[in-house]
C-alpha cells in the first residue's frame, strides 16, 4: 500500500486522431468520460491512486474487474499483464532519477488499454511521459496516426527508456567507487558497494517480470493490439533484455569490486603489521643484550674492560644490520 | 508427525447460502454430517488431527482415499494439490505470527473441496480464518453468494495474506539488525542473521510448492471449480509470487548483511591491532635506548657528561615524534 | 563392483494370494522356480549378487536381458527404471541406519517386476523389508489382496521410508553439533560438519534419480502396473520429494553452521589477541619509563630527590589507568 | 550510442558470381545501388554508422523497417536475428585483437541479408573480413559459386573465428599470471585477474546471445537461406559453443587462481608473522631474567657469587635452545 | 589444431562377419578400400590426422562432407554427433591413463559409421580399443554376429569405460590428499587440490556433451542403427551419467577439502600465535616489575629491606601463576 496522501487526485485527458488534438485537465471523473467516442483515441492519465472512489468510478465506467481495481490501488504489485478480452491490464514499475535529490524514485504505473482508449494510473504527479505528450501535441512521428495500442506502447517504451537513464547514473557511481577503491578504500566505500548491490536487486526485481509482461503483450492474440504494433513491442522487449544484461554486468562488477575491497583492506593491514613487527623484532634481541649488561653481578669481567662498551655497541649494530638484510632477502620488508 | 496432543478435537460447522447462515460447534462427527445437503455450502472446520478415528469417520462419510487421510494426519507434508474427480485435496502450511510470544507458528492445513462442501483440518485451535468467518456472518462481499470453491479460495487467500504479515515482522527485525550492524556488531547480531536466514529457508520451502499448488488449482479442469473463481485464484497466485520475491530479496539482503558484519568485525579488530601495535612499536626502540645507558660498563664516557641525560631524553622524544609522523603519513594511524 | 564376498547366496521365496501364504528358504535356483504359477504372487528375494551363475539362471528362467543381469551384478548403478514390456527393472539404493555401529549402510537393490512375480536382489543379508514380510504373513492391510505391482510398490515404499529414518539420525547429529558450535567449537566440529555435508551429497545422489524412477513408474503405460497402484506410487513420489526437501534444508543449515563455526573461531581468536595485546600495550610504555630511570648517567637530578620515586610510581599508575579508560571507551576491552 | 565521429562514411561494393568479380569504393549511396541486379551477388560494406542520412537512404532503397535502421545506428545492441520475410537482419559483436595496442576492440556489425545481396554495417574502418575478400578476389573455395546466404555465413564465420584469436590472447595472459602467482604474487596480479574476469563477462555477453542468433538462422524456414548453407551455419554454431566452453573454463580457472592468490598472500603473511613472533617470544623471557638481576635490591645474595654470572648466561642459553627445540617439534619454525 | 607430427599415418583394417576374420595393416588408402563389400563389416582404423591428403581420400571414397573432414583434422572439437543419412559422424574425447608417466592423456576420436563399415580416426597410435580387437579376433561375445552399428557401440563403450579408469586414479589421488590434509597441510596440498579441480573441469567438459551425443544416437531414427543396438547405447548412456555423477561428487569433495585446508592452515597459525602471545603477555608485566626495581632513585626504601628481593620474586611467580590460571579458565591455552 502506498503511504497516505492528501493532495487531490489529478485527472488529465488527451483526445486525438491524426487531424485533431485536445488536451485538458478535468476535475471530476464524469467530465473525463465526455471524451469517450469510438473514432478518436483517448488517453486518461490519473495522478494518485489514494482515492478509491475515483478508481471505482473509472472502473465502473469501463467495466473493469474488481480485482484489477484492487491491483491499481495497492501499489507494490509485481509487473504483470492480464488480458480481459475487452481490455488489457498492465502493471509496471516506473523509475525516475531525480537530479535534484540525487535519488532514484520508483512508482507503480497501471495501464489499461481498451478499444480506443488508454488509461494510466500513477501514484503521484511527475512522470516520464513528457516526450509522449510532446509528440502528441506536435504531431511528430507516427504516434497521432496510430491507435490506442501504439499509445500504450509509447508509454511502456518511455518507462523502459528511463531504466537506461537510471542505469547510467548507477554506472557513474560505480566508476567513482572504482577509483576510490584503488586510492583510498574506506568503510564508506564498502557501504556504497552494498547499497549499489541492493539497488541492483531492486532494479532486477522490476525488470525481470517486465520482460515477460512485454513478451506476453507481443505474443497475445488480443484484437486490441495491431500486428504492426508487435514489432515495436519486440523492440521494447530487446531493450528490457539490454537492461537485464546491464544489471547482471553491474552485479558481476560489484562482486568483483567487493573482492578487491576486501583484499586491499587486508593488504593494507598486512603491510602495517609487517613493518611494525619487523621493527619490534629487530629491537627485542638488542634490548635483551642491553639487559644482560645491566645486571648487577659483582663478577662480570667484561664490564671492567675499556673496549667492551664500543664492542657491544658494534655488535648490536651488526645484529640489526644482519636482520634487516635477512628480512630484505626474504622480501618481508 | 505432529507431537502427541491430548485436548479434544474441536469440530465447528458453518452452513450458508446467500440467504441463510448457521454456525455451530458439534461434538460428534455424526452431528457434523447432518448439515450436508446439496443446495447450501457447508464448511466443516476440524481443529486437531491427532484422533485418527475422527479423520476416518469424516473420510468414510465423504468417500476420501485412505492415502488422503494419512496425509491429513501426518503433518509435515509438502504443500500439494490432488484432484480426485469427486473432491480436490489441498495441503498448505499456515503461518501465523504470534504477537505475544514474538514467534512465527507453522501449522499444516488440509482443505478438502467437494460438491457443496469444504473441510479444513488444522493441527490445533487458533487460525487465520477469522476474517472469512466474519465475512460469512455479516454477509460482506460476494462470499455468501458464491459456491464452495470460492470458500476454498477465501481460505487459501487468508493463509497467503498471513505470509505477508509474517514477512513484515521479519522485515522489521531485519531493519533493526541493520542499524545494529552499523553501531554495534556483536556475536548476537550474527546469530540473529543466521536465524533469519534459516527462517527464510523454511518460508521458501512453504511458499515455493504453494505457487505450484495454486497454479494447478487455477489450471485444473475440475468441475468443482467455477471459471469465475479462476481469476481470484490467479490473484492469489500473484500474491505467492510477491511473497517469493520478498523472500528472495530478504535472502539477498541477509547475505549482504552477513558480508558487512564480517568485514565490520574484522575492521574493528584491525583498528585495535593497529593502534596497539603502533604504541608498542614506538616504545620498543626507546626502551632499547634506555637499556643501553642502563648497562654497567666501567668505561662509558657519555655517562659522565652533564648534558648527556637531557640530550638522550630529547633524542628519545625526537624518535617518537618522527615515528608518529611517519605512521601518520602512511595513514596507519 | 561390490567387494568379493564368500558367504553363500541366500534365496527366499514367498508365495501368496489373498487366501494362501507360503514362505520358504530354498537352496537352489531350480527349487525357487517351482512356485511360479500365474494365479498367485511370488516374491523371490536373493541376498547376494556375487555368484554370477545364480543371477544367470534366474535371468534365463525369466527371460531377462543380459544387460539387466550385468546391472544387477555390478553394484554402483545409478537408480533407474527400465521397462521391457514383459518385465520392469528398477534399481534403487537402500539405506539403513545400523544402530549398533552408528553408521548408515548403503546397498544396491534391484527389483524385477513381472506378471505375477517380483524378484529383489540385494548385496547382502539384512534389509528394510521386514515390515512388508510381516504384513504378508499376518495378512494386514491390502497387500495380500493386490498383485505383484503392489508388492513392488511396498518394497520401494519400505526403502524410501528408511530414508526418513536416516535423515532423522542425521538431523539429531546436526542438532548436537549446533549446540557444540555455541559452547565449544573445535576442529572436531568442523570435521563433523564436513562429514555431514558429504553424507548429504551421497544421500542427494541416491534420492535425486529415485524421484525420476518413481515418476516414470507412475507415468508408465505398462500393463504390469495397475491404475489403482499409481496413486500409491504418487504417494511414494511425494515422499521422495520430502526427502529431497529435507536434504536441501540440511545442506543449507550445514552451510550456515560452517559460517558460524568459522566466525566463532575467528571471534575467539580475536578475543585472545585483543586482551593479550592490550596487556602488552599498557606495560610497554611503563617499562620504558622504568628503563629511563635505570640509566646510569652521572647527572640525573631527579634521581636525587626524595619524592621522585613515589611520584614516578604514581605517574605509571596514572598512565595505566588512563589507557584502560581509553580502551574501555573505545570498547576494545 | 557510439561516440561522435567525423571521418566520412566509407562505402565499398563487391559484386560477383562464379565467373565475374567487381570491387569498388563508392562515394555516394546512389552509386552503390547501380550494382543491384538479380543474377549476381552484391556485398555492400559500410564503415561508419554515424551519418543517419546514409543509413536512411540504404534503408529506403532496400525497404528496411525504421526500427532496423535505428538498431543499425545505435551501437550497443545485443546480438539478435530478425526475419522480415524479404530480408534477414543480424546484429553481432565483432571482436578484434589489436596487436599494436595490445587491446581487444569491440564493434557492432549489422548484416542485412536479402535476395542477391548482403549489406554489412560497421562502426569504423578495419575489420576481420579480409580473408573473405581474399577468397572472393581469388575465387578460392566455394564462396563465388554460392549465393548471398553463403556470403553472410562467411562473414559471421570470420567474426566467430576472431573470437578464438581473442581467447588465445587471453589464454596467454592467464598463463603468464599463473606463473607469477607462484613466484611473486602482487596486488598487480590481483588487479589483472579481476580485469580478465571482467573481460570474460563481456565476452560471455557477446557470445551467449550469438549462439541463439546462429541457431535461429539455421532453423529459420526463410527462403533466403539455402538448405545447403544450413550445415555451414551448424558448423559456426559448434564454434560458438566451443567459444562458450573456453570462456567458462577460463572463468573457472580465474576463480581458482583468485583462491590461490588469496591463500598464497595469506601464507606469506603467516610466515612473516610466525618467524618474527618466534624471535620475540624467545627473547622476552630472557630479557625478563636480565631485568631481575638488574634490580638494585641491597640484599640479593646471588649477585655476590663468582659463578652466578656465567651460570645465568648458561641458563639463558639453555632456555633459548629449549624453546627452539619445542617450536621445531611443533613444526612452528 | 593438434601439434605437428611427422610419423607416418598408420592405417589398419579389420574385416569380419560371424564366420570370417581378416586383419591387416595397409600402407595406402587404396589398399584399405579393397575390403569394402556389403555383406561383411569393415573397421578401418586410422592413427594420425596430420596428413590431410589421407583424410581427403577417405572422405572422397565414402562421400563424406568437407566440414566433416575439417572436424576430423581439427582436434579440439566438442563431442558431437551428426547424422548425414548415408553415414553418422561422431566425435568423442578418448581419455587414457598412462601408468608409466602417471598422467591422463586425451585424444580426439572421430567415428564414421556407414552401411557395413566403421572408420575411426585417432590423433596418434595407442588407444583403448584393444579389448574390442581381442573380442573380434577370438569371436567372443556377440560382436562378430552383429553389424557395424554394434561395432561403433563397442568402440564408444570402450572409450566411456576408460573414463571410469581415469576417475578411479583421480579418486585415489583425492584420498591421498585427504589424509595429508589432516596430518600435514602444505601449499603443495593446495596446489594439488586446485590441479584436481581443473582436471575435473576438463573431464566434465568431455563427458557433459558426450551424454547428449549418445542420447541422440540412441534416439536417432537412422536406418544405420538397429533397434537391438539401442538398448546397448542406453547402457552406455547410463555409464556417462555415472561418470557425470562421479565428477560432480569429486568436485563437491574437492570444494569441501579446500575449505578444510584453509581452516586447518588458519587453525595452525592461530595456535602458534596464541601460545606465543600468551608467553609474551605473561613476561611483559614481570619485566616491568624488574625494571621498576632497576631504577636508580636515591630514595627507594624497599631496596634496603632484606626480605624485599625474595618477596618480589614470589610476587612475580604469583602473577605468572595467576595469569596462567586465568588463561586456562578462558581456554586460551
Amino acid at each position: 500500500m502506498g503511504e497516505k496522501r492528501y493532495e487531490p487526485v489529478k485527472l488529465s485527458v488527451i483526445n486525438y486522431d491524426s487531424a485533431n488534438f485536445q488536451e485538458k485537465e478535468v476535475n471530476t471523473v464524469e467530465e473525463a468520460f465526455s471524451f469517450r467516442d469510438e473514432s478518436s483515441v483517448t488517453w486518461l492519465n490519473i495522478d494518485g491512486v489514494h482515492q478509491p472512489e475515483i478508481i471505482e468510478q473509472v472502473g465502473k465506467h469501463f467495466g473493469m474487474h474488481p480485482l484489477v481495481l484492487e491491483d491499481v490501488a495497492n501499489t507494490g504489485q509485481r509487473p504483470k499483464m492480464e488480458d480481459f478480452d475487452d481490455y488489457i491490464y498492465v502493471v509496471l514499475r516506473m523509475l525516475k532519477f531525480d537530479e535534484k535529490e540525487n535519488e532514484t524514485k520508483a512508482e507503480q504505473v497501471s495501464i489499461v488499454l481498451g478499444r480506443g482508449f488508454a488509461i494510466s494510473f500513477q501514484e503521484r504527479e511527475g512522470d516520464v511521459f513528457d516526450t509522449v505528450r510532446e509528440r502528441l501535441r506536435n504531431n511528430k512521428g507516427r504516434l497521432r496516426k496510430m491507435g490506442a495500442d501504439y499509445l500504450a506502447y509509447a508509454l511502456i517504451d518511455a518507462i523502459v527508456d528511463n531504466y537506461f537513464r537510471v542505469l547510467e547514473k548507477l554506472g557513474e557511481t560505480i566508476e567513482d567507487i572504482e577509483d576510490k577503491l584503488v586510492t583510498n578504500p574506506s568503510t564508506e566505500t564498502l557501504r556504497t558497494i552494498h547499497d549499489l548491490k541492493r539497488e541492483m536487486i531492486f532494479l532486477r526485481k522490476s525488470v525481470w517480470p517486465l520482460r515477460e509482461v512485454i513478451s506476453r503483450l507481443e505474443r497475445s492474440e488480443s484484437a486490441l493490439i495491431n500486428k504492426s504494433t508487435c514489432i515495436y513491442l519486440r523492440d521494447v522487449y530487446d531493450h528490457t533484455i539490454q537492461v537485464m544484461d546491464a544489471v547482471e554486468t553491474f552485479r558481476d562488477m560489484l562482486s568483483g569490486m567487493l573482492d578487491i575491497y576486501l583484499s586491499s583492506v587486508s593488504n593494507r593491514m598486512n603491510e602495517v603489521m609487517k613493518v611494525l613487527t619487523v621493527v619490534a623484532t629487530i629491537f627485542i634481541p638488542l634490548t635483551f643484550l642491553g639487559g644482560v649488561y645491566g645486571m648487577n653481578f659483582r663478577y662480570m669481567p667484561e664490564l671492567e674492560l675499556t673496549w667492551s662498551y664500543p664492542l657491544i655497541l658494534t655488535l648490536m649494530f651488526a645484529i640489526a644490520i644482519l636482520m634487516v638484510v635477512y628480512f630484505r632477502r626474504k622480501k618481508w620488508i
Side-chain angles (χ1 to χ4, degrees), chain A:
Chain A
M1 273 284 186
E3 21 166 336
K4 277 269 165 297
R5 248 181 303 273
Y6 301 101
E7 69 272 36
V9 169
K10 202 180 120 193
L11 295 93
S12 51
V13 184
I14 291 179
N15 194 63
Y16 66 89
D17 56 18
S18 55
N20 306 300
F21 175 84
Q22 259 181 299
E23 179 175 12
K24 75 169 176 185
E25 296 225 352
V26 294
N27 294 319
T28 62
V29 183
E30 288 76 23
E31 207 177 339
F33 298 150
S34 67
F35 279 100
R36 200 182 178 189
D37 57 89
E38 283 293 314
S39 65
S40 67
V41 176
T42 312
W43 172 22
L44 171 57
N45 183 57
I46 298 169
D47 288 330
V49 294
H50 50 284
Q51 291 187 13
E53 63 281 8
I54 291 180
I55 297 176
E56 244 161 71
Q57 285 178 334
V58 172
K60 204 175 286 173
H61 187 82
F62 290 100
M64 278 151 65
H65 196 279
L67 282 175
V68 167
L69 301 181
E70 259 181 47
D71 285 351
V72 166
N74 295 333
T75 65
Q77 299 297 317
R78 204 177 183 254
K80 65 177 174 179
M81 172 266 191
E82 275 171 358
D83 185 354
F84 303 77
D85 299 333
D86 287 342
Y87 56 97
I88 289 172
Y89 173 56
V90 179
V91 191
L92 303 166
R93 287 215 84 65
M94 171 166 79
L95 298 188
K96 201 186 170 180
F97 189 82
D98 190 324
E99 298 280 353
K100 272 184 237 149
E101 302 185 26
N102 200 29
E103 207 183 48
T104 305
K105 287 192 169 164
E107 206 175 311
Q108 171 174 314
V109 173
S110 299
I111 296 175
V112 175
L113 165 65
R115 196 165 308 279
F117 69 90
I119 313 171
S120 53
F121 297 88
Q122 307 178 30
E123 285 184 54
R124 66 188 79 88
E125 271 197 77
D127 56 33
V128 300
F129 298 150
D130 285 338
T131 54
V132 178
R133 287 192 192 91
E134 215 51 51
R135 276 151 66 199
L136 282 175
R137 282 181 201 127
N138 306 339
N139 201 354
K140 278 209 299 195
R142 89 207 67 196
L143 190 46
R144 286 267 291 275
K145 296 173 201 75
M146 314 285 279
D149 56 338
Y150 194 86
L151 174 63
Y153 148 74
L155 296 178
I156 296 172
D157 193 41
I159 286 171
V160 174
D161 265 7
N162 262 277
Y163 281 40
F164 284 106
R165 229 142 285 163
V166 170
L167 277 174
E168 246 166 65
K169 280 289 160 193
L170 291 175
E172 282 169 24
T173 318
I174 287 178
E175 266 174 50
D176 284 3
I177 291 293
E178 212 156 28
D179 291 345
K180 280 194 198 142
L181 217 56
V182 182
T183 57
N184 188 16
S186 68
T187 323
E188 196 48 39
T189 326
L190 182 66
R191 193 80 40 82
T192 319
I193 292 178
H194 275 289
D195 285 354
L196 283 169
K197 268 187 129 174
R198 185 168 297 184
E199 271 199 77
M200 288 305 156
I201 295 174
F202 284 105
L203 246 176
R204 204 170 169 235
K205 250 181 66 183
S206 302
V207 190
W208 194 258
L210 179 60
R211 208 183 71 145
E212 212 205 305
V213 165
I214 297 176
S215 159
R216 286 183 55 203
L217 266 180
E218 186 207 342
R219 283 178 293 107
S220 89
E221 303 281 298
S222 171
L224 292 165
I225 297 176
N226 249 304
K227 273 277 151 284
S228 66
T229 308
C230 279
I231 193 167
Y232 293 98
L233 287 171
R234 175 88 211 163
D235 195 53
V236 191
Y237 179 82
D238 286 345
H239 291 173
T240 60
I241 291 190
Q242 273 171 253
V243 173
M244 281 305 312
D245 267 13
V247 170
E248 293 306 321
T249 306
F250 280 175
R251 273 167 64 107
D252 281 340
M253 281 167 72
L254 285 170
S255 292
M257 283 163 69
L258 198 64
D259 286 355
I260 293 184
Y261 169 78
L262 290 177
S263 65
S264 78
V265 160
S266 115
N267 264 346
R268 283 172 65 93
M269 186 62 202
N270 282 356
E271 217 187 318
V272 175
M273 294 296 290
K274 215 157 59 178
V275 173
L276 299 186
T277 320
V278 164
V279 165
T281 311
I282 289 172
F283 282 102
I284 281 173
L286 304 187
T287 305
F288 162 68
L289 263 188
V292 165
Y293 292 106
M295 292 194 294
N296 298 321
F297 290 106
R298 175 159 303 194
Y299 305 102
M300 293 176 73
E302 306 95 302
L303 297 181
E304 308 306 314
L305 305 172
T306 318
W307 42 267
S308 289
Y309 177 56
L311 194 84
I312 214 78
L313 282 189
T314 315
L315 180 66
M316 283 171 170
F317 195 71
I319 289 175
I321 292 293
L322 275 174
M323 284 175 93
V324 168
V325 167
Y326 177 76
F327 293 159
R328 268 273 152 80
R329 191 166 303 164
K330 282 263 189 178
K331 299 213 169 140
W332 291 351
I333 49 174

